[in-house]
Amino acid sequence: GDKAFAQFLTDEIKEEKKIQKHKSLPKISGGWELEVHGTEAKLVRKIAGEKITVTFNINNSIPPSAEEDTQEQQKPDEQEPELTSTPNFVVEVIKDDTKQSLVLDCHFPEDEIGHEGEEESDIFTIREVSFQPPGEADWKDTNYTLNTDSLDWALYDHLMDFLADRGVDNTFADELIELSTALEHQEYIKFLEDLKSFVKCQ
């Protein structure tokens, strides 16, 4: 059984490498520096008196619906549909002269993806906003968190403009999806390779 499994993985890795769009990770325009730690990616950009970091994790970033619909209608020789990774991402804006950072939790609404041609709508939304101590990995529940569900639209628009002024706009979000998708695929191939070595190990 293990032999057949290893053979299957070998073929699968070959196929995945064939369809791999990016041999190296795509860059994000606008002077963002990328750091990758396993499945977590961090983009950092410094502008006058501020540091902006955007963090996202590729785990569970592929919407589930894409899988189910395609299985039934797929003919054997058809290309599998491209999976797109749309991770939630957290934007942290730190101003040099304050001891706080403004943290905005953003995500890609599932139903928005792929409705191009409608009026200029944002492809991502801000879900929560909070002040946090700079560099904290976890949100502190004791800090007030603004949930945007019931937010005044004007205030929401200003928050979106605030992000756009710092380079986090639709173009950035598109490039983030591309980067995340490439990273996800790269990690998937690496996982298959590790699994193959594990299965072959006596």
Side-chain angles (χ1 to χ4, degrees), residues 86-99:
T86 50
N88 299 344
F89 60 98
V90 174
V91 184
E92 184 180 16
V93 180
I94 303 170
K95 286 189 188 277
D96 293 349
D97 47 5
T98 65
K99 291 284 168 279

Side-chain angles (χ1 to χ4, degrees), residues 5-6 10 17 19 27 30 37 39 54 59 63-64 67 69 77 80 87 90-91 101 113 145 161 168 190:
F5 191 9
T10 306
K17 283 190 168 160
I19 60 170
K27 296 265 183 287
H37 304 284
T39 57
V54 177
N59 278 337
E67 292 261 277
D69 309 343
D77 53 344
E80 282 188 31
V90 174
V91 184
S101 64
I113 308 291
T145 299
D161 291 344
V168 179
K190 192 169 153 297

Side-chain angles (χ1 to χ4, degrees), residues 18 30 41 44 81 86 92 95 102 109 114 124 152 166 178 185 197:
K18 239 192 272 175
V44 182
T86 50
E92 184 180 16
K95 286 189 188 277
L102 184 67
F124 69 95
D152 179 314
R166 282 151 184 81
E178 190 156 326
H185 199 206
S197 325

Side-chain angles (χ1 to χ4, degrees), residues 31-48:
W32 294 89
E33 282 173 32
L34 172 67
E35 293 170 31
V36 179
H37 304 284
T39 57
E40 186 170 88
K42 185 181 193 176
L43 292 155
V44 182
R45 180 173 188 240
K46 292 188 171 77
I47 50 177

Side-chain angles (χ1 to χ4, degrees), residues 67-167:
E67 292 261 277
E68 293 150 17
D69 309 343
T70 50
Q71 308 260 279
E72 294 141 33
Q73 310 137 1
Q74 210 176 323
K75 301 184 181 57
D77 53 344
E78 269 183 36
Q79 267 288 300
E80 282 188 31
E82 267 186 47
L83 296 178
T84 306
S85 158
T86 50
N88 299 344
F89 60 98
V90 174
V91 184
E92 184 180 16
V93 180
I94 303 170
K95 286 189 188 277
D96 293 349
D97 47 5
T98 65
K99 291 284 168 279
Q100 284 178 313
S101 64
L102 184 67
V103 181
L104 302 100
D105 182 10
C106 305
H107 74 142
F108 295 99
E110 277 172 28
D111 49 353
E112 290 298 310
I113 308 291
H115 295 304
E116 278 108 42
E118 293 176 10
E119 45 184 288
E120 275 300 286
S121 64
D122 293 299
I123 59 175
F124 69 95
T125 58
I126 302 171
R127 222 178 0 194
E128 294 182 328
V129 188
S130 171
F131 281 110
Q132 297 291 336
E136 286 288 327
D138 299 314
W139 286 55
K140 292 207 178 325
D141 289 338
T142 50
N143 290 6
Y144 179 76
T145 299
L146 175 69
N147 192 310
T148 56
D149 289 346
S150 51
L151 198 58
D152 179 314
W153 276 105
L155 176 53
Y156 182 82
D157 285 343
H158 278 296
L159 285 169
M160 287 300 270
D161 291 344
F162 175 84
L163 284 180
D165 290 343
R166 282 151 184 81

